[in-house]
Amino acid sequence: QVQLVESGGGLVQAGGSLRLSCAVSGGARRNYPMAWFRQAPTKEREFVASISWVAMFTYYTDSVKGRFTISRDDTDNSLYLQMTSLKPEDTAIYFCALGTSSASRNRGDYTYWGQGTQVTVSS
C-alpha cells in the first residue's frame, strides 16, 4: 500500500518561506511523476507544481513561478516544495500526489494522495 505523508506546513508572515516535504512509502516505483496541489477554503483543489521521474522536467502554475521550487530525492523517496516570497493567497492545504504516467497538471492523472499539510500566510 503506497502512502504519502506531508509535513512542513505552518503559519508564516507574508514574504516568508516554508519548505514542504512528502515522504513516500509502501513500495512505489521510483520512476513515477509527482506533484503538489493545494486547496483553499471554498475552492477547488488546484495544481501547483509537478516533477517527472529523475527530475528531468518540472512544471509550475503561473502564480508560483519564480517563488516555488519542486524537487525530489529518489534515494529516500521524498518530494519537496520550497516556497519563498509567500503571499496570503498561497494559504491552503497542500497535498502531494503520485502519478503513473506523466508530470501532468490534471488531478485525475494522480493515483495516490497524502492527507495534506496546512499553510497559512498572514498579511
Side-chain angles (χ1 to χ4, degrees):
Q1 178 93 15
V2 176
Q3 290 188 318
L4 284 69
V5 179
E6 303 94 338
S7 61
L11 173 64
V12 64
Q13 288 189 332
S17 300
L18 281 174
R19 188 189 193 215
L20 305 184
S21 300
C22 175
V24 182
S25 62
R29 295 175 297 116
R30 292 186 175 181
N31 54 333
Y32 44 73
M34 295 197 72
W36 289 98
F37 286 75
R38 66 187 179 186
Q39 187 167 14
T42 73
K43 293 190 176 181
E44 297 268 332
R45 191 171 299 188
E46 66 172 359
F47 170 80
V48 176
S50 62
I51 187 166
S52 64
W53 69 288
V54 301
M56 286 184 67
F57 302 103
T58 57
Y59 305 94
Y60 298 91
T61 193
D62 286 346
S63 63
V64 308
K65 283 180 181 177
R67 299 189 299 123
F68 291 10
T69 302
I70 189 171
S71 62
R72 63 190 295 166
D73 183 349
D74 290 332
T75 62
D76 65 358
N77 285 343
S78 293
L79 177 72
Y80 303 100
L81 185 69
Q82 179 68 49
M83 306 186 294
T84 63
S85 302
L86 282 161
K87 304 175 181 180
E89 51 264 44
D90 294 319
T91 295
I93 299 174
Y94 284 70
F95 300 88
C96 69
L98 184 154
T100 57
S101 56
S102 62
S104 166
R105 297 170 180 262
N106 299 318
R107 288 171 52 184
D109 290 332
Y110 293 88
T111 306
Y112 300 99
W113 294 81
Q115 293 299 306
T117 185
Q118 176 71 47
V119 171
T120 303
V121 184
S122 63
S123 57

